[in-house]
Amino acid sequence: DQQVKQNSPSLSVQEGRISILNCDYTNSMFDYFLWYKKYPAEGPTFLISISSIKDKNEDGRFTVFLNKSAKHLSLHIVPSQPGDSAVYFCAAHGSGTYKYIFGTGTRLKVLA
Amino acid sequence: DTEVTQTPKHLVMGMTNKKSLKCEQHMGHRAMYWYKQKAKKPPELMFVYSYEKLSINESVPSRFSPECPNSSLLNLHLHALQPEDSALYLCASSQASGGNTIYFGEGSWLTVV
């Protein structure tokens, strides 16, 4: 049972435009959400996170939105750059646990 | 630059070999993790240590044996592995309280022949 899902396996965006990556979760006990970027043969790199008490968090070109009622979060990258091309994973964490559950990933390709 | 360091970066071992993966962090984190990642799959949790004590074992086969010698170091001892154990093994660390970011190392690529 996949508790964290990223339904789009891939996404292509023109350079300079907005990239929107989506993530859905099923467990209402999740209270902290993270986005990671991963290049081939490297470990995931932390991008941005959001606590369940917020609905938006922004860091430079990256903004994460959380819709708790829909159990949905999204990552916006504006403007997209070719160096953003990678696989993006969302992850969810439940209060009082050490379990971080990862989504299946979305491969983003930013076209120059 | 990642502050979680993993060695070796690549490892090839036979099914009868004994080898170890090593991980070190200097962020003062008291929780350390081993994850396994196969191609085109998300990272899967294997073990969690909290304050040097094993906190979570996700029903990992005994041919994988974790060890946490101190708060900065985490090892994964490998013995009698199978070819299907070939994967990227990721070490990570975080603060020990909830709602924290988990930081990953670069990973160790393991090939079992």
Side-chain angles (χ1 to χ4, degrees):
Chain A
D1 180 28
Q2 188 70 29
Q3 296 185 68
V4 181
K5 296 180 186 177
Q6 294 174 253
N7 291 319
S8 298
S10 63
L11 174 69
S12 291
V13 172
Q14 283 295 131
E15 181 180 7
R17 305 296 291 266
I18 184 170
S19 295
I20 300 176
L21 297 102
N22 294 303
C23 179
D24 297 294
Y25 62 95
T26 57
N27 190 337
S28 58
M29 298 302 290
F30 289 147
D31 64 353
Y32 191 66
F33 304 88
L34 311 95
W35 283 95
Y36 289 85
K37 172 181 178 180
K38 188 177 185 303
Y39 294 117
E42 292 185 10
T45 301
F46 169 71
L47 283 175
I48 193 168
S49 61
I50 188 165
S51 164
S52 59
I53 62 173
K54 294 187 174 183
D55 54 20
K56 178 182 174 182
N57 189 26
E58 197 169 350
D59 184 0
R61 296 186 299 115
F62 302 95
T63 302
V64 56
F65 295 92
L66 176 62
N67 182 334
K68 280 174 55 181
S69 60
K71 294 191 179 69
H72 176 84
L73 63 153
S74 60
L75 174 68
H76 293 209
I77 306 174
V78 181
S80 300
Q81 300 172 352
D84 295 330
S85 297
V87 177
Y88 288 77
F89 289 97
C90 64
H93 171 265
S95 175
T97 79
Y98 288 108
K99 290 196 178 186
Y100 292 76
I101 308 298
F102 284 79
T104 46
T106 296
R107 181 174 301 278
L108 173 66
K109 191 170 184 179
V110 180
L111 307 168
Chain B
D1 286 342
T2 180
E3 295 186 66
V4 179
T5 305
Q6 291 186 242
T7 56
K9 200 162 177 64
H10 295 93
L11 177 64
V12 179
M13 62 185 289
M15 289 189 283
T16 58
N17 291 159
K18 280 187 183 180
K19 296 284 184 184
S20 297
L21 304 180
K22 297 186 183 298
C23 176
E24 187 170 9
Q25 58 90 11
H26 294 289
M27 293 182 280
H29 290 166
R30 301 308 297 272
M32 294 187 76
Y33 309 73
W34 279 114
Y35 277 82
K36 172 182 176 179
Q37 186 173 27
K38 304 274 268 185
K40 300 188 179 182
K41 297 286 188 183
E44 293 180 13
L45 181 64
M46 299 175 72
F47 302 104
V48 181
Y49 274 82
S50 171
Y51 294 94
E52 295 98 69
K53 288 189 168 56
L54 185 63
S55 177
I56 295 177
N57 176 343
E58 289 287 272
S59 303
V60 179
S62 60
R63 56 186 185 268
F64 295 91
S65 175
E67 179 196 19
C68 189
N70 60 53
S71 60
S72 300
L73 294 174
L74 185 66
N75 298 323
L76 186 63
H77 302 299
L78 314 169
H79 174 53
L81 295 193
Q82 303 296 312
E84 59 264 29
D85 296 320
S86 299
L88 178 66
Y89 288 84
L90 296 162
C91 175
S93 70
S94 74
Q95 298 288 355
S97 54
N100 286 293
T101 300
I102 180 172
Y103 294 93
F104 286 89
E106 294 283 302
S108 291
W109 277 102
L110 173 67
T111 302
V112 182
V113 297

